[in-house]
Amino acid sequence: MKVTIVGAGNVGATCADVISYRGIASEVVLLDIKEGFAEGKAMDIMQCAPNTGFNTRVSGITGDYSKTANSNVVVITSGIPRKPGMTREELIGINAGIVKGVAENVLKHSPDAIIVVVSNPMDTMTYLTLKATGLPKHRVIGMGGALDSSRFKYFLSKALDKPIGDIDGMVIGGHGDTTMIPLTRLASYNGMPVSNFLQQDVLDKVAADTMVGGATLTGLLGTSAWYAPGASVAYLVDSILNDQKKMIACSVFLEGEYGQNDICMGVPCIIGANGLEEIVDIHLSDDEKAKFAKSADAVRNMNADLKEVLA
Ligand SMILES: NC(=O)C1=CN([C@@H]2O[C@H](COP(=O)(O)OP(=O)(O)OC[C@H]3O[C@@H](n4cnc5c(N)ncnc54)[C@H](O)[C@@H]3O)[C@@H](O)[C@H]2O)C=CC1
Ligand SMILES: O=C([O-])CC(=O)C(=O)O
């Protein structure tokens, strides 16, 4: 199975590293516009193989999409990341043109690929990719919820002082500082509701920390995060390539699901060989429904800025 990652920067290269280290694909192509950059990242990753023992072939290329031909999955991580103090939404001006161009280029050589969109503002970039390419909704999947959910589990494990692997939870809604919806009501520790162990004010703090998880890391690092984002993309790609049918919160096109239409937003999805295989209805409470509708309003507002690029 072949995966192309367009944008060999922090997130793209980390994703390639995790995919190869875990043997998720037999071939990974990294593509970037910066001369020699993807080649360098691929060479560095390949030189791990003797010591970590993987067999994935990782190669890098500058701008030549013919090398990406017949990819099963294409990941779009090209574009600029935010700096401290910025929102993801401020990236739209530069990233919209990049993402549209990349999506069109990859499809010329991999007409059957499933596209995973990572560049921010991710929900709007996913919507743009779907509209610009005309691909069916099952082949355009935005990655954000997998990452936000792993941050949610991290903050829950800290609050509970219990191992992160014993925690389950999901974040739906938009992938933005104010649009994420951590589902604290449904989060669990070894199958038991976390509300059995944590007071509401602690749960509220966990949710708030989760929502600004990306902004907190951007403040600490000077650019946005890459280890957990790269690993989250690899987790999603694994479910596609190996037909795992995992339930993962992903940004996908909604046609009435969760009361929304003509928008891409994070909802629980079954992800398998066909990409998006099912949107799962988890019966939100009235409060969660209200939050989802508010989140959708904000994402829709952002999508309105695509008028020019989609014209
Ligand atoms: N959806 C999510 O959960 C997450 C999204 N992101 C987003 O992912 C994007 C990438 O982030 P980083 O890897 O940290 O940035 P980065 O700056 O390290 O890497 C971006 C790469 O894209 C390349 N690039 C730019 N235009 C290109 C084009 N037209 N064709 C091919 N390559 C091109 C650049 O040369 C650069 O190497 C950002 O927009 C960031 O906000 C980052 C983390 C999580
Ligand atoms: O925070 C950012 O800008 C990058 C991102 O989407 C994340 O790490 O969640």
Side-chain angles (χ1 to χ4, degrees):
M1 291 289 203
K2 178 171 175 177
V3 178
T4 285
I5 301 170
V6 184
N10 284 337
V11 178
T14 306
C15 175
D17 190 36
V18 177
I19 287 177
S20 52
Y21 181 66
R22 292 189 43 220
I24 290 169
S26 52
E27 185 177 359
V28 175
V29 176
L30 275 167
L31 185 147
D32 205 285
I33 42 164
K34 240 187 276 172
E35 190 66 45
F37 191 62
E39 288 85 339
K41 290 285 180 102
M43 197 184 290
D44 195 13
I45 292 170
M46 278 307 287
Q47 290 170 1
C48 296
N51 294 326
T52 59
F54 65 78
N55 293 309
T56 302
R57 294 184 309 283
V58 186
S59 61
I61 189 76
T62 306
D64 179 2
Y65 280 86
S66 68
K67 297 288 192 300
T68 69
N70 302 319
S71 294
N72 302 91
V73 173
V74 173
V75 176
I76 302 182
T77 45
S78 46
I80 54 165
R82 63 173 157 169
K83 295 258 177 279
M86 289 172 75
T87 65
R88 296 177 180 86
E89 286 75 8
E90 289 173 66
L91 306 173
I92 189 171
I94 295 180
N95 286 355
I98 293 176
V99 168
K100 180 169 181 260
V102 166
E104 288 166 351
N105 276 325
V106 291
L107 282 173
K108 285 181 200 154
H109 300 275
S110 301
D112 300 323
I114 291 168
I115 301 191
V116 175
V117 181
V118 182
S119 308
N120 273 316
M122 181 278 293
D123 300 290
T124 297
M125 295 301 101
T126 305
Y127 181 81
L128 167 64
T129 301
L130 189 109
K131 291 287 168 182
T133 60
L135 286 177
K137 68 188 267 184
H138 69 98
R139 286 178 51 200
V140 181
I141 303 172
M143 195 299 291
L147 172 63
D148 302 333
S149 301
S150 66
R151 288 184 178 143
F152 185 34
K153 292 174 206 173
Y154 166 81
F155 287 116
L156 282 169
S157 85
K158 298 259 289 180
L160 287 160
D161 195 22
K162 293 290 184 290
I164 200 163
D166 280 1
I167 314 288
D168 212 349
M170 187 177 275
V171 177
I172 60 169
H175 179 62
D177 297 344
T178 57
T179 56
M180 278 177 217
I181 308 164
L183 294 171
T184 45
R185 180 178 62 92
L186 300 173
S188 62
Y189 164 56
N190 272 321
M192 291 166 280
V194 290
S195 56
N196 283 11
F197 310 96
L198 298 173
Q199 300 294 323
Q200 191 57 45
D201 60 326
V202 178
L203 282 174
D204 290 345
K205 167 108 173 51
V206 164
D209 287 345
T210 301
M211 291 171 76
V212 296
T216 300
L217 285 161
T218 304
L220 292 168
L221 298 167
T223 184
S224 56
W226 57 90
Y227 292 114
S232 304
V233 181
Y235 178 77
L236 177 56
V237 170
D238 197 8
S239 198
I240 300 169
L241 287 187
N242 296 303
D243 195 23
Q244 291 170 335
K245 304 198 190 297
K246 285 202 167 119
M247 191 201 287
I248 304 174
C250 294
S251 185
V252 295
F253 191 67
L254 301 180
E255 294 168 295
E257 299 92 345
Y258 289 85
Q260 297 299 327
N261 275 294
D262 194 34
I263 194 166
C264 291
M265 277 180 73
V267 290
C269 298
I270 303 299
I271 302 292
N274 295 315
L276 168 66
E277 301 199 343
E278 187 188 335
I279 294 174
V280 180
D281 182 0
I282 50 170
H283 305 294
L284 299 181
S285 66
D286 286 347
D287 174 53
E288 290 155 356
K289 276 185 195 157
K291 283 182 177 155
F292 198 88
K294 195 166 166 227
S295 176
D297 287 345
V299 173
R300 197 168 275 113
N301 244 349
M302 183 87 279
N303 292 352
D305 283 10
L306 294 174
K307 264 202 193 96
E308 255 172 52
V309 72
L310 279 174

